[in-house]
Amino acid sequence: IYINNKEVRDPTELERLSSEDITSVELINNPGANYDADVRAVLKIKTKRKIEGFASTIRLRGTQNHCFSDMEQVDMSYARNKWTWYANLSHNAPRSQVDGRNKMTFHTADKDYNLTMDMMDWDARSRYATLASGAGFQVNPQNEIGASYTYNYSKVVYKGDDNEVLRTGNEVIDELANYSHSDDKYNQHAVNLYYVGKLGEKLDVNLNADYINRDARSWQRVDESGLNDVRTVTSTNNSLYNLYAAKLELTYPLGPGSLSGGFDFSYMDYDQDYDNEENVLTDAFFHSEERKLAGFLNYSAKTGPLTWSAGLRYEQFRTRYYENSLDEPTVKQTYKELFPTASVSMPIDKVNLSLVYSKRTSRPTFYQLRNGIEYPSRFLYSQGNPYLRPTQIHDLSLNIGYRFLQMTLGYYRTKDQIVSTDEIVEGADPITMLMKNKNVPRFEEISAMLTFQHKIGIWNPTWTAGVYKSFFHLYDFQGNRRNMDNPYGYFAINNMFSLPKGFVLNVDANCITAGNSGEMFMKTTGSVDLALRKSFLDGKLELNLQVNDLFATAERKYIAYSEHIDYDRWNFNDTRMVRLTIVYKFHNYSKKYKGYNSASEEMNRM
């Protein structure tokens, strides 16, 4: 999502945006080669360029579920002559109760083990803070430069009791009463520089450069009391990221359309140091260096009734991963890939048709690449896999639009899909499983989605129905094939009512039916949400009252399969809540910063 060419990183930025400030919204289902190869859709929002002066907005939000959470936010901006300036200060302290009941079956050659893990009434507390400021200078009506700085702080704490019982048949082998406490936090500094302008009369230039530094620390302690012994396992995971990135995009009108091209570059180094105080697990050190060089060309035009575009992106992605030593890399790989995109659309009578194709990639996160072992349980460890390869994705879709109906038919195929795998830890008594990830050769999915959107008096409904079916299978440790091809459905009913005296009521519901997604069998889940909002004082004051997950049905329920493990998981994150948001605007306008993040893919993988 982009607002005035700046990528949205903070979801509350969308909440801060007023509808009267928006001039256009564009959804790009087939992003061209000028976007990162892992981007599948782009939403571009443009806002009004308002008069000069000072503007400020204060936003307060209170949320009540089992606990109370608060959020405070102040936005300020100032524009004078050729200068623009903005600042944002926000604080968010969500708190909730987390419940989980997990059942795992470990299949081995000798016997099956059944493990139940009940984690009820866990306390989840978070604290997020953001300080951001930026300024722009208009050199002349066609050229502008600017810079911004953003500081982010994040802290997430989980505490709670965990009761675990390991059985084989009807025999209880071990029973643990655990108390777990984890504390994850990071500090992040980000600097952005940009130039937006024209060279000559026709050549548009957009240049962005970024530096991002993140210092993260994860601490975990598990106190175990079993039938046979008592022990404590304490682990610390320190991570340090440094990211350098730049992107240049040039656009020039050519013939009936426009040609855009440019390059982007990113370099990231990442250090992770894992330490287990009691030496139950092996200490580990992981260092990675990644460099991406990309060049792209994209041409879009309209020829008669036909609107079309074609693009090609070339990426050279080099990785160097070091484990426990800085002498020689464990993984040394260079990927050279071409990513084509193409789209064509035209109206036939009252029907609009479009056909789009793209090849994209999805790279593993740094968490998936880590080599340190985490300790969720005595019977279950978790570890990353530095040998994971990027996933290659081919996406083909046909869109059909007729009046207030829109249908999309899609085909999706991947190479080197990332799924869960496991292995038995040698020497464990009686058993411990190690979970990690691996690549599988192929995954395919077809989909169909129908959307109805039409305003009827005060009622503005948007209804969506979709069905998804994958063609995928796994093998257990004995080589038996398990087909994961049960289709599932998605249904959403969103209704907005424009009531008298300026009240706006939303009544929304969504549901996902049972079916397979990758290596998981998802169980049916859904929720109902309500919202009522009203503006006062000529739009300066806005109140928004929400009731989310009215019937407490937004549970996370699925069974994940790997070679030895059937993992039946149930989780509820306290999503039933009442929320009141109060917004006051001292002036109903603001100046927007024109820079955007030039390393979106790498940021998402942190």
Side-chain angles (χ1 to χ4, degrees):
I1 301 176
Y2 291 82
I3 299 178
N4 294 336
N5 291 325
K6 181 179 184 298
E7 186 172 0
V8 174
R9 288 292 175 196
D10 180 3
T12 61
E13 188 173 351
L14 293 175
E15 298 180 17
R16 301 196 302 266
L17 197 61
S18 299
S19 59
E20 61 264 25
D21 290 336
I22 298 175
T23 59
S24 66
V25 177
E26 179 186 5
L27 176 62
I28 304 174
N29 285 317
N30 185 45
N34 47 324
Y35 292 95
D36 277 331
D38 71 336
V39 176
R40 299 188 63 194
V42 172
L43 188 68
K44 300 179 72 174
I45 301 172
K46 292 185 179 180
T47 63
K48 299 176 183 177
R49 189 174 182 87
K50 297 295 181 70
I51 60 177
E52 294 186 343
F54 176 80
S56 180
T57 301
I58 296 177
R59 178 182 300 268
L60 304 174
R61 186 174 71 194
T63 302
Q64 182 69 53
N65 41 28
H66 280 89
C67 311
F68 180 78
S69 306
D70 64 288
M71 188 273 285
E72 302 81 32
Q73 189 168 285
V74 178
D75 293 299
M76 295 176 289
S77 65
Y78 180 76
R80 184 72 176 177
N81 297 327
K82 297 182 178 182
W83 287 94
T84 61
W85 168 85
Y86 80 93
N88 165 254
L89 178 62
S90 65
H91 168 264
N92 189 12
R95 184 180 176 187
S96 61
Q97 176 180 295
V98 179
D99 297 329
R101 293 189 182 96
N102 302 319
K103 299 177 182 178
M104 308 184 73
T105 301
F106 302 153
H107 301 285
T108 70
D110 299 327
K111 62 181 72 173
D112 290 345
Y113 295 87
N114 297 300
L115 175 65
T116 59
M117 306 169 69
D118 292 333
M119 299 172 286
M120 305 303 293
D121 301 336
W122 277 43
D123 184 22
R125 304 188 185 197
S126 304
R127 188 173 299 277
Y128 307 101
T130 299
L131 172 62
S133 184
F137 176 72
Q138 196 173 48
V139 180
N140 55 49
Q142 294 182 324
N143 294 274
E144 184 173 319
I145 59 175
S148 72
Y149 166 78
T150 304
Y151 168 76
N152 293 103
Y153 171 81
S154 170
K155 182 173 182 177
V156 180
V157 177
Y158 283 96
K159 297 179 182 179
D161 295 312
D162 170 19
N163 296 313
E164 302 181 19
V165 180
L166 182 68
R167 295 181 175 90
T168 177
N170 295 322
E171 179 187 358
V172 175
I173 299 178
D174 205 348
E175 185 172 356
L176 301 177
N178 302 336
Y179 177 77
S180 298
H181 180 189
S182 66
D183 187 329
D184 301 337
K185 63 181 179 181
Y186 70 78
N187 294 275
Q188 179 173 293
H189 305 268
V191 177
N192 172 262
L193 305 174
Y194 77 88
Y195 163 71
V196 178
K198 278 183 176 290
L199 296 179
E201 296 183 357
K202 296 183 177 181
L203 183 63
D204 292 323
V205 181
N206 199 329
L207 174 64
N208 277 262
D210 292 273
Y211 169 69
I212 299 170
N213 170 271
R214 178 184 291 187
D215 187 359
R217 176 184 178 272
S218 297
W219 177 88
Q220 180 188 43
R221 176 184 172 122
V222 180
D223 296 314
E224 296 180 341
S225 177
L227 295 178
N228 303 313
D229 64 348
V230 175
R231 74 178 180 185
T232 296
V233 179
T234 307
S235 60
T236 304
N237 197 333
N238 296 307
S239 302
L240 180 64
Y241 303 82
N242 283 289
L243 170 64
Y244 308 83
K247 181 177 180 179
L248 172 66
E249 183 175 356
L250 307 173
T251 304
Y252 189 83
L254 183 64
S258 64
L259 177 69
S260 63
F263 76 91
D264 65 56
F265 161 82
S266 68
Y267 173 82
M268 177 180 283
D269 63 69
Y270 165 62
D271 290 314
Q272 180 196 64
D273 187 4
Y274 178 86
D275 176 68
N276 173 227
E277 185 177 315
E278 296 82 11
N279 294 319
V280 176
L281 303 175
T282 304
D283 293 347
F285 177 77
F286 178 72
H287 173 75
S288 75
E289 298 173 2
E290 295 185 350
R291 187 193 69 187
K292 182 184 72 177
L293 291 171
F296 55 88
L297 281 174
N298 199 78
Y299 185 75
S300 58
K302 185 173 183 180
T303 308
L306 194 69
T307 301
W308 59 276
S309 69
L312 186 65
R313 181 182 181 90
Y314 171 77
E315 284 192 0
Q316 184 187 83
F317 185 75
R318 191 191 73 176
T319 64
R320 301 290 186 269
Y321 300 150
Y322 300 82
E323 291 186 276
N324 304 322
S325 171
L326 296 178
D327 296 333
E328 291 294 331
T330 304
V331 177
K332 182 179 179 181
Q333 188 65 261
T334 300
Y335 302 94
K336 300 177 181 180
E337 293 284 343
L338 288 172
F339 297 97
T341 63
S343 68
V344 59
S345 63
M346 66 177 297
I348 301 178
D349 196 12
K350 295 182 180 180
V351 178
N352 292 314
L353 296 175
S354 65
L355 182 67
V356 298
Y357 164 78
S358 64
K359 179 188 175 185
R360 308 203 178 276
T361 189
S362 177
R363 297 187 173 96
T365 66
F366 288 99
Y367 182 77
Q368 291 174 321
L369 292 169
R370 75 196 190 285
N371 67 336
I373 298 177
E374 294 186 356
Y375 190 88
S377 160
R378 177 179 301 192
F379 311 113
L380 186 69
Y381 298 168
S382 174
Q383 186 180 31
N385 181 2
Y387 297 93
L388 288 175
R389 298 182 299 276
T391 297
Q392 305 299 319
I393 304 165
H394 296 269
D395 201 340
L396 180 67
S397 64
L398 173 66
N399 302 295
I400 306 169
Y402 175 72
R403 298 181 65 188
F404 42 76
L405 293 175
Q406 180 79 27
M407 173 174 280
T408 301
L409 305 175
Y411 170 72
Y412 175 89
R413 180 168 67 87
T414 70
K415 176 185 176 183
D416 290 331
Q417 175 88 352
I418 296 176
V419 299
S420 296
T421 186
D422 62 58
E423 60 185 57
I424 300 174
V425 177
E426 294 185 7
D429 184 20
I431 190 171
T432 300
M433 303 298 299
L434 176 65
M435 298 190 69
K436 53 172 60 177
N437 294 111
K438 69 174 182 179
N439 295 105
V440 294
R442 189 168 176 172
F443 173 84
E444 293 178 285
E445 183 180 79
I446 57 174
S447 63
M449 179 170 287
L450 180 66
T451 301
F452 166 85
Q453 185 176 26
H454 185 56
K455 187 174 182 180
I456 307 170
I458 65 169
W459 179 32
N460 191 354
T462 302
W463 297 351
T464 302
V467 61
Y468 302 83
K469 178 177 173 59
S470 58
F471 299 89
F472 182 60
H473 60 269
L474 298 171
Y475 292 96
D476 65 16
F477 74 101
Q478 294 177 321
N480 299 317
R481 174 169 168 153
R482 186 194 300 270
N483 291 322
M484 310 292 290
D485 55 5
N486 293 301
Y488 69 92
Y490 170 77
F491 303 93
I493 302 175
N494 299 325
N495 305 278
M496 185 176 73
F497 300 91
S498 300
L499 303 178
K501 299 186 181 297
F503 285 92
V504 178
L505 174 67
N506 286 82
V507 181
D508 304 329
N510 66 82
C511 174
I512 298 178
T513 67
N516 288 116
S517 176
E519 70 271 36
M520 295 189 300
F521 177 79
M522 302 183 301
K523 301 178 183 180
T524 300
T525 187
S527 66
V528 175
D529 303 325
L530 306 175
L532 182 67
R533 65 180 186 271
K534 174 76 166 72
S535 296
F536 302 89
L537 304 177
D538 295 326
K540 291 183 178 180
L541 176 64
E542 182 178 297
L543 302 181
N544 190 353
L545 179 64
Q546 299 168 271
V547 179
N548 293 339
D549 192 16
L550 178 62
F551 302 107
T553 52
E555 304 161 318
R556 191 180 184 192
K557 301 181 293 184
Y558 64 84
I559 304 176
Y561 297 96
S562 54
E563 282 86 340
H564 297 86
I565 301 176
D566 300 344
Y567 188 173
D568 190 340
R569 182 173 183 180
W570 175 88
N571 178 257
F572 183 68
N573 285 329
D574 212 2
T575 49
R576 179 162 64 177
M577 63 184 67
V578 178
R579 173 177 291 169
L580 176 63
T581 303
I582 303 172
V583 179
Y584 186 80
K585 303 174 184 178
F586 289 95
H587 291 282
N588 200 18
Y589 59 84
S590 62
K591 288 277 187 159
K592 296 296 182 180
Y593 182 72
K594 289 190 174 182
Y596 67 91
N597 193 286
S598 57
S600 58
E601 177 188 345
E602 283 71 22
M603 282 291 297
N604 290 333
R605 295 171 59 229
M606 284 186 178

